[in-house]
Amino acid sequence: MKLRRLFGEYIARPFEEDLLTKRIGEAPQKYLISSLLKDRPSQSQAEKLKSELNIDIEAEKNDQIGKLARQAEYYLQNEDYFNYMRKHPNGKVHIFKYQGVQFTLSGSNWETVPNKNIYKLLLNSMPDLIMLQIRPDHILRNFDIRYTGSSTKYVESLIRSAYEIMPTGYANKISEELQIKINFKDEYMPYQLNERIQLDQIATACHYGIRNNIPILLVDLPDKIFRQSLVNQMTIPQLNQIFEKCSQMVPLYPDLQPQTPLNVGYNIFPDIFLQRSDQYISTIIEYLAVKKKYKKVFGLFGNAQSDSINDLLDNRKASHLENELQIPKIQRSILKDLTCEDLVERHAILDVIQENIIIQYFPTTDYVIQQFADPHQKDKTRVAQMQYLHTEMMKNYWNVLKKQQEIGQRDLKREFMKKAQVI
């Protein structure tokens, strides 16, 4: 039976025509961006922007990156990410120059920020390159994750026209919301994402890119590398523990959008779900600073990540893209050899965490099955067997997800009643 039939009640809700307009109309005036933001605002101007935008803005006075004694082995801990979130609950914008290139790194829970303010930030930043935190193999067909010896060739494969990245069906919606028209026809394949930035924020950045002929850089770590790195270094019990905790905590984050185990994971296990991406992104920024092809670069990232990337740039010695794209070797047990079935189960857990089961899109799992199901090409049915096993395991973990969310809801209700002195 097809997954759509099995999980039809959980299919993603259709786009609401007036959702964006409704949110903008109800947004308080304090979210509006001041016109004071120039190339590099003074600290006093940044303080004024902070009160108007409700996002902290910090402008570095000097080109300080690279002047500190940076470490080759520098890692962020969970507590570091928690501190970023506590200090800047509404997000943070870092503006600085690095080797003559001006960078504007913006991180926030963008669902709470009107799209017109993102557009105004772009207008004031005047970038000639826009970085979006999107995994390239999520939307680019046949994207090659391998490093072939040339950083330039690899980075160029990540840079696309804004026309290509604009989500299908969003150009007119964003144009109406911003009241700025562009000439655009949907010519590319539609895609669905569960990223740190959502489709309407992507469309807003692409609108600016189309109107000003600015390219888009898909700057997040490819999904195939991210997931294989995670799966290859963790056991099934460890992944299960993370999965159950994230699922159980979903009801405790009612204001988090979208409400998914993965989004909760970003907030409670950032060292697992975010750090590898942050290291990769900081290396891309190092490359852009060295090449100097683009003079002003704007980046749109998830909450706390403008802080974490800035921290890595300050304290982590510059890495190389070849190192960032390496996939760790699979950890094998002394007592039991790792099988393809084990790998399939681990990826089934991640597919439920990422809610790929809802959109029925499993490119990374299919990639792993093709690699490991029948490496010696002895059984032509082996790939189909593993795909079937993957489907059955996702059904099982989807049921676990719903049960854990019910537990989380009961715990939340019990805690609420306890605080209300009902029990």
Side-chain angles (χ1 to χ4, degrees):
M1 185 180 293
K2 291 185 178 180
L3 284 174
R4 188 173 293 278
R5 295 177 185 172
L6 288 168
F7 304 103
E9 60 186 297
Y10 303 117
I11 296 298
R13 290 173 294 181
F15 184 90
E16 297 181 29
E17 290 286 343
D18 62 341
L19 181 61
L20 299 176
T21 305
K22 184 185 297 183
R23 190 175 78 234
I24 296 301
E26 295 175 354
Q29 184 68 24
K30 64 181 181 180
Y31 280 108
L32 296 179
I33 289 181
S34 168
S35 59
L36 289 173
L37 185 59
K38 303 296 183 185
D39 285 358
R40 299 171 71 196
S42 66
Q43 196 58 42
S44 60
Q45 290 173 329
E47 287 298 321
K48 185 175 182 180
L49 287 173
K50 174 182 175 181
S51 63
E52 294 180 353
L53 175 61
N54 207 27
I55 295 178
D56 292 337
I57 296 182
E58 181 175 324
E60 299 290 347
K61 294 181 180 179
N62 301 309
D63 186 355
Q64 296 179 352
I65 295 177
K67 296 182 180 179
L68 303 175
R70 298 196 285 177
Q71 307 169 38
E73 299 293 326
Y74 180 81
Y75 300 98
L76 297 173
Q77 305 299 321
N78 263 344
E79 191 58 35
D80 295 318
Y81 285 94
F82 297 153
N83 285 334
Y84 303 146
M85 296 175 192
R86 282 192 291 264
K87 289 180 180 178
H88 313 294
N90 298 313
K92 181 73 175 285
V93 177
H94 288 274
I95 303 171
F96 58 88
K97 273 195 174 182
Y98 182 23
Q99 297 192 18
V101 179
Q102 180 175 299
F103 290 92
T104 302
L105 309 184
S106 309
S108 181
N109 286 318
W110 296 109
E111 287 293 320
T112 64
V113 179
N115 292 324
K116 62 182 179 181
N117 290 343
I118 298 174
Y119 200 84
K120 287 182 179 180
L121 186 54
L122 282 159
L123 286 171
N124 285 283
S125 300
M126 296 183 294
D128 47 14
L129 178 69
I130 299 172
M131 299 186 296
L132 295 181
Q133 192 176 358
I134 301 174
R135 302 192 188 279
D137 50 343
H138 274 180
I139 64 175
L140 300 180
R141 282 190 166 188
N142 303 317
F143 178 77
D144 191 353
I145 64 172
R146 297 171 301 173
Y147 181 80
T148 58
S150 170
S151 296
T152 298
K153 184 178 179 181
Y154 177 79
V155 173
E156 285 178 352
S157 73
L158 302 174
I159 299 176
R160 302 299 172 111
S161 73
Y163 284 97
E164 186 175 355
I165 306 304
M166 172 68 81
T168 300
Y170 275 72
N172 290 335
K173 293 181 177 68
I174 296 299
S175 294
E176 291 174 6
E177 179 181 337
L178 299 174
Q179 296 182 347
I180 303 173
K181 293 184 178 181
I182 56 173
N183 294 321
F184 181 83
K185 292 182 180 180
D186 290 320
E187 298 177 357
Y188 294 92
M189 291 291 293
Y191 59 84
Q192 292 178 289
L193 292 177
N194 189 3
E195 304 279 2
R196 290 287 278 160
I197 53 176
Q198 302 301 308
L199 292 176
D200 51 343
Q201 290 99 47
I202 294 170
T204 302
C206 288
H207 186 288
Y208 179 90
I210 291 170
R211 191 162 182 261
N212 297 280
N213 196 28
I214 304 300
I216 304 293
L217 170 59
L218 308 180
V219 77
D220 207 355
L221 184 70
D223 190 62
K224 292 182 179 68
I225 294 175
F226 164 71
R227 283 184 43 162
Q228 287 186 90
S229 300
L230 193 59
V231 160
N232 291 359
Q233 297 179 90
M234 303 187 76
T235 64
I236 291 175
Q238 288 173 326
L239 279 173
N240 251 321
Q241 187 176 10
I242 293 171
F243 166 62
E244 291 181 1
K245 184 68 173 179
C246 291
S247 302
Q248 198 173 121
M249 295 287 284
V250 168
L252 276 65
Y253 286 83
D255 297 328
L256 196 64
Q257 296 297 329
Q259 274 195 297
T260 63
L262 179 63
N263 212 8
V264 171
Y266 290 142
N267 286 268
I268 64 177
F269 298 118
D271 59 335
I272 295 174
F273 289 103
L274 294 179
Q275 179 152 219
R276 183 74 195 273
S277 286
D278 290 340
Q279 292 172 344
Y280 170 84
I281 293 169
S282 67
T283 301
I284 294 284
I285 291 174
E286 296 274 6
Y287 170 87
L288 295 173
V290 169
K291 291 299 181 181
K292 298 181 176 59
K293 180 178 179 180
Y294 303 97
K295 299 303 181 184
K296 293 184 179 181
V297 181
F298 177 90
L300 202 63
F301 307 106
N303 194 35
Q305 286 187 265
S306 61
D307 284 312
S308 56
I309 294 167
N310 191 65
D311 193 335
L312 289 169
L313 288 169
D314 276 339
N315 298 290
R316 181 175 181 249
K317 193 173 181 179
S319 181
H320 194 279
L321 275 172
E322 184 176 11
N323 299 328
E324 300 298 341
L325 292 169
Q326 285 183 352
I327 299 173
K329 291 182 179 180
I330 299 173
Q331 290 188 359
R332 300 181 182 273
S333 171
I334 299 176
L335 301 177
K336 178 188 175 184
D337 191 22
L338 189 72
T339 65
C340 185
E341 285 82 353
D342 294 324
L343 287 176
V344 167
E345 182 169 3
R346 296 179 192 192
H347 282 281
I349 294 172
L350 289 179
D351 278 320
V352 176
I353 289 178
Q354 291 180 316
E355 294 203 345
N356 292 335
I357 191 172
I358 294 178
I359 62 176
Q360 303 174 54
Y361 186 59
F362 320 110
T364 300
T365 303
D366 288 340
Y367 173 81
V368 170
I369 289 174
Q370 292 289 340
Q371 275 194 318
F372 294 100
D374 186 27
H376 304 295
Q377 298 182 348
K378 293 181 178 180
D379 185 355
K380 293 182 179 180
T381 66
R382 182 72 172 159
V383 170
Q385 291 173 18
M386 292 300 100
Q387 289 174 336
Y388 177 78
L389 178 65
H390 174 243
T391 300
E392 293 302 309
M393 286 180 170
M394 281 195 302
K395 295 179 194 177
N396 175 61
Y397 283 107
W398 184 259
N399 291 331
V400 173
L401 167 67
K402 305 313 290 183
K403 289 179 181 178
Q404 291 298 324
Q405 288 183 342
E406 290 173 2
I407 292 172
Q409 288 172 345
R410 288 200 299 268
D411 290 346
L412 180 63
K413 183 178 180 180
R414 188 181 299 111
E415 185 67 21
F416 176 80
M417 294 178 70
K418 184 177 180 180
K419 289 184 177 180
Q421 297 183 345
V422 176
I423 56 174

